[in-house]
Amino acid sequence: MAETVFNVTVFFVAAILWAAFGTLLLWRQGDLSDLWNTFRAQHWLLQGIEFVLLLPWVIALWIWNTSWWLWVRVVLVLGLAWVNLNMFWPWRGR
């Protein structure tokens, strides 16, 4: 029972973080650039800790701030979000 509660909690935290990323992506793309620049300006030790804890979102920020074509960035970020949420999906059959 405790494991299920933990898995559901982790899934909803991940879903909320992806929803926040998507909201910024749709309405405030400049904030994503500011967030990336803030991340890059931090001490390397803090960057490493955040990178490990928030790996999919840091990668999504990096992808979004590249100079790649828009459609490539959108496909990669959406794919990353889907894979991440699918990995954390707590209701899959065992």
Side-chain angles (χ1 to χ4, degrees), residues 4 9 15 18 20 23 25 27 33 42 44 47-48 52 62 64-66 70 77 80 86 89 94:
T4 302
T9 302
W18 279 115
T23 301
L25 190 61
W27 286 291
S33 295
Q42 292 176 355
W44 64 269
Q47 273 187 27
V52 169
W62 171 73
W64 192 255
N65 284 288
T66 62
L70 177 64
V77 169
L80 183 61
N86 191 34
W89 186 256
R94 297 179 190 247

Side-chain angles (χ1 to χ4, degrees), residues 2 14 20 23 35 45 48 54 57 69 71 85 91:
T23 301
L35 192 59
L45 183 60
L54 301 170
W57 299 277
W69 293 327
W71 69 270
L85 290 175
W91 299 284

Side-chain angles (χ1 to χ4, degrees), residues 18 21 56-57 60 75-87:
W18 279 115
F21 190 92
W57 299 277
V75 167
L76 288 173
V77 169
L78 288 176
L80 183 61
W82 182 82
V83 167
N84 182 243
L85 290 175
N86 191 34
M87 287 174 52

Side-chain angles (χ1 to χ4, degrees), residues 1-15:
M1 178 65 173
E3 180 182 351
T4 302
V5 170
F6 176 77
N7 290 342
V8 170
T9 302
V10 169
F11 173 77
F12 279 115
V13 167

